[in-house]
Structures are given as C-alpha cells and as structure tokens.
C-alpha cells in the first residue's frame, strides 16, 4: 500500500536508544539489511525532531516523536541534527551488519562516521578526503579508471562538497556478507565517486573517481540501493557473474522529475564496473515526476519501505509529513527487478 507518514515534532524523547539485535536467519546467521539502523531488519528513514534529536521512522501511523531515538542532539557535530547533512547505507567499516551514519556540516572540511552502537549514534570519527584523520593528498581517475589531474576545487578536504551520499556498493551487495559502501558526492558542480578504504583507519581509498565534469548542482542525489535489479555479465574467459549493484537516482529540482542512473558491468572490459550512465545528469532515465522541491524540500530513499522487495521513494513536506511512493518494477531482459516507476501515494 502507498503510505503517508504524519510527522509532528514536539521534542519528546519517545522510545529508547538502540538495543534490538541484528536480524538473523533460522540457522542463527546474521543477514544484512541495507538501510537498517535500528537492527530489526527493516530500513529506516532518519529525521530530526523538534528538539534536534535524530529518530528512525518506519510505521505509517508513527510520528517523529514516536520514532525510535537513534542519537541525541548533543551528539551531532553542531549540537542539533536539524542543520546537518547525513546519509546511511551500510558502512565504511568492514564486517558491520547494520547501517552507520555519515555526516557533513555545510562547508566543513571533514566527514564524520558515527558508529552504530547500543547507545545509538554517539561516537564518531572524523576524516578527510583521503579517508584518514590526517589530511593528505589524493589522486584522481576518470570513469574508466584512467589517471587524470585532480581539479583545483577537489582539494584534500570536504569543504566544497554540497551533497554527500552513501550509495551502497557499486560492485555487489549481498544479504549474507556486508559490503562497504561507496560515497557519491557533488563537489563544486562535478560528480565524484569515493571508494571504501582498506581498513577501519583508512576509511576511503586515496584514489577518487570523477564520474562527470558536467553541472550536477540542480539535482538532489538519492540512494535506493540496487534499484536496477541484478546484472548478469560473462567475461572473455566465459565466466558468468550476477551482481546486485548500487543505483543512483536524482530529483531534478527544476522539473520535479526522478531520474535513474544504473551502475552495471561492461562485458567488453572483462565485466568491470560500468559507471558510464553517470556521465551526464540530463541523460538519466525518467522513472517518476511531480516531486516538486517546494512541496517536498526533502526527498530520499532507504530501499524497500513497503515490504515488497522493491525500493521506494519518500519525500517530506514543509509541514513535516512524509509521503512514500512505492517503487514498481518491470522485468526487462537483463534487468530483473529494475525500478521503472512509482505507484501513486495515498491521499493525506
């Protein structure tokens, strides 16, 4: 069912902090649910309440204040979650079965990784563009992996980043083994990909990928997870692999259209990750429309909110209400499970 979630912010503390165990199979094995913050196997929309605390909202009858408290305002980099950019899908650390939080202050030099613990998001590590707590140089490649000169606006910190999104794994996401997330960011006006690092100290690779030198400043980045379904690719040696890779959606601010940019594999390049669909923001595939920024200043996705296995879209209006547009999936050849549109939301 399409859902509309009424959000009323009064600042009450509501439910307690995290304490639910990670989802497990009948055999006792943990299962990864990307988008899950509260460790109950369901993806969570994170929103600040009136007191500046951060809460997880799932239930169509819930409000921000009855949502599960995941971080107090005082734990935010600024003392309130109302003024901070935050994103979650998986984590940059290895072996974690639920989402951790990546945050950025507008104009700030560092990102913050908040660990998901029984006390919520209270402890963080800050890091620069090289993924380290110590600022250092990075190198740059283009979308096919060829070395390029890093443009001046990239620098070595995050001060020119206007959007940062945990998009999930561009290589493969499985339900059994946690995959470290990639970050996609608009820096200046260009679109960049940042790959996870080698350990919990080097949170990012020092090689950054320029996905597009065109202007992405008029697009809101959205991370639905593998919304392009699965990709099956056979390499030159005859080895066939099937992967579930991250997809990027955007909301085109001037029109309210939702566009999709699939990340796939290139059989002509030994089935390497194919990022070519992200070269031009205007050439995304239109899968929805009518999500006007004036009506829905906040737009996003945390994957499947309706329980049908298909990623969904949500938007928050100026009054605080959240509307969910359920994703609809066709099954075209080579793209089983790809989201190609959205069902209409319920009336308020």
């Amino acid at each position: 069912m399409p859902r509309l979630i009424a959000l009323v912010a009064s600042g009450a503390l509501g439910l307690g902090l995290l304490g639910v165990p990670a989802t497990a199979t009948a055999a006792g094995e943990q299962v990864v649910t990307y988008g899950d913050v509260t460790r109950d196997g369901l993806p969570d929309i994170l929103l600040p309440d009136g007191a500046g605390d951060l809460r997880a909202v799932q239930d169509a009858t819930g409000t921000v204040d009855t949502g599960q408290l995941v971080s107090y305002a005082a734990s935010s980099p600024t003392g309130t979650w109302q003024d901070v950019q935050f994103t979650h899908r998986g984590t940059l650390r290895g072996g974690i079965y639920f989402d951790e939080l990546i945050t950025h202050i507008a104009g700030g030099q560092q990102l913050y990784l908040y660990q998901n613990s029984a006390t919520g998001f209270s402890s963080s590590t800050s890091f620069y563009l090289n993924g380290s707590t110590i600022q250092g140089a990075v190198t740059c490649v283009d979308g096919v992996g060829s070395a390029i000169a890093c443009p001046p606006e990239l620098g070595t910190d995050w001060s020119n980043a206007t959007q940062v999104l945990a998009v999930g794994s561009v290589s493969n996401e499985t339900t059994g083994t946690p995959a470290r997330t990639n970050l996609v960011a608009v820096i200046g006006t260009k679109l960049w990909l940042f790959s996870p690092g080698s350990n919990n100290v080097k949170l990012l690779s020092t090689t950054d990928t320029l996905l597009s030198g065109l202007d992405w400043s008029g697009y809101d980045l959205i991370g639905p997870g593998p919304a392009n379904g699965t990709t099956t690719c056979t390499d030159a040696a005859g080895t066939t692999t099937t992967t579930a890779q991250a997809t990027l959606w955007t909301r085109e601010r001037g029109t309210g259209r939702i566009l999709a940019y699939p990340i796939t594999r290139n059989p002509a390049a030994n089935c390497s990750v194919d990022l070519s669909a992200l070269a031009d923001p205007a050439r995304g595939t239109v899968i929805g429309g009518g999500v006007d920024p004036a009506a829905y200043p906040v737009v996003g996705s945390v994957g499947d909110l309706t329980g049908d296995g298909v990623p969904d879209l949500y938007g928050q209006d100026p009054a605080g209400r959240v509307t969910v547009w359920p994703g609809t999936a066709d099954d075209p050849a080579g793209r089983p499970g790809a989201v190609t549109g959205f069902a209409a939301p319920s009336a308020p």
Side-chain angles (χ1 to χ4, degrees):
M1 284 289 292
R3 303 189 296 174
L4 183 136
I5 306 173
L7 302 178
V8 181
S10 68
L13 287 182
L15 303 180
L17 291 170
L18 306 183
V20 180
T23 304
T25 65
E29 298 175 348
Q30 289 186 339
V31 176
V32 184
T33 300
Y34 296 96
D36 179 19
V37 164
T38 57
R39 311 187 205 182
D40 61 358
L42 300 172
D44 302 288
I45 299 172
L46 297 187
L47 296 164
D49 65 17
D53 297 323
L54 190 63
R55 294 182 178 272
V57 178
Q58 294 175 343
D59 196 323
T61 63
T63 68
V64 168
D65 300 305
T66 59
Q68 187 164 343
L69 178 63
V70 297
S71 185
Y72 290 107
S75 296
S76 162
T78 64
T80 175
W81 286 105
Q82 293 175 337
D83 301 321
V84 175
Q85 303 169 12
F86 50 83
T87 181
H88 65 100
R89 185 169 182 84
T91 178
L92 289 170
R93 301 191 301 145
I96 308 298
Y97 283 79
F98 31 81
D99 284 10
E100 298 190 313
L101 196 65
I102 296 168
T103 71
H104 183 233
I105 306 166
Q109 293 187 341
Q110 299 175 76
L111 296 186
Y112 298 84
L113 174 68
Y114 279 77
Q115 297 183 16
N116 189 325
S117 71
T119 57
F121 295 123
S122 58
S123 176
S124 67
T125 299
S126 60
F127 59 98
Y128 290 94
L129 212 66
N130 63 358
S132 169
T133 57
I134 300 174
Q135 193 169 9
V138 296
T139 58
C140 298
V141 297
D142 62 16
V144 295
S146 299
I148 60 172
C150 295
E153 70 267 21
L154 182 66
T156 58
D157 62 40
W158 298 94
S159 57
N160 289 328
T162 56
Q163 296 185 69
V164 179
L165 178 73
V167 73
S169 173
V170 302
S171 298
N172 193 25
E173 290 187 5
T174 67
T175 57
T177 303
R180 299 189 191 206
T181 191
N182 291 86
L183 303 182
V184 173
V186 177
I187 297 182
T189 61
K190 299 178 177 65
L191 188 68
W192 289 85
L193 176 72
F194 300 90
S195 298
S198 57
N199 55 49
N200 292 347
V201 176
K202 299 177 181 178
L203 292 172
L204 290 173
S205 167
T206 57
T207 299
D208 305 327
T209 303
L210 178 61
L211 295 172
S212 173
L214 300 179
D215 188 353
W216 288 74
S217 60
Y219 297 81
D220 294 311
L221 305 184
I222 303 168
N228 193 52
T230 56
T231 297
T232 299
C233 184
T234 302
D235 63 19
T239 302
T240 298
T241 57
T242 298
T243 51
Q245 298 167 255
T247 299
L248 180 68
W249 289 346
T250 68
R251 191 258 303 272
E252 189 177 38
R253 294 182 192 141
T255 65
R257 299 188 304 173
I258 305 299
L259 294 89
Y261 311 81
I263 297 171
T264 58
R265 300 228 171 231
N266 184 359
N270 206 32
C271 289
S272 61
V273 174
D274 187 348
L275 301 165
S276 60
L278 290 80
D280 185 343
R283 294 181 66 85
T285 300
V286 178
I287 58 173
V291 189
D292 184 350
Y296 299 98
V298 176
V299 67
S301 177
V302 290
D304 175 24
L305 287 164
T306 58
D308 61 358
V310 180
D312 307 308
L313 180 75
Y314 73 85
Q316 185 181 24
D317 69 18
R321 295 181 297 267
V322 170
T323 298
V324 175
W325 291 268
T328 57
D330 293 332
D331 191 16
R335 291 200 306 153
V339 176
T340 54
F342 300 97
S346 299

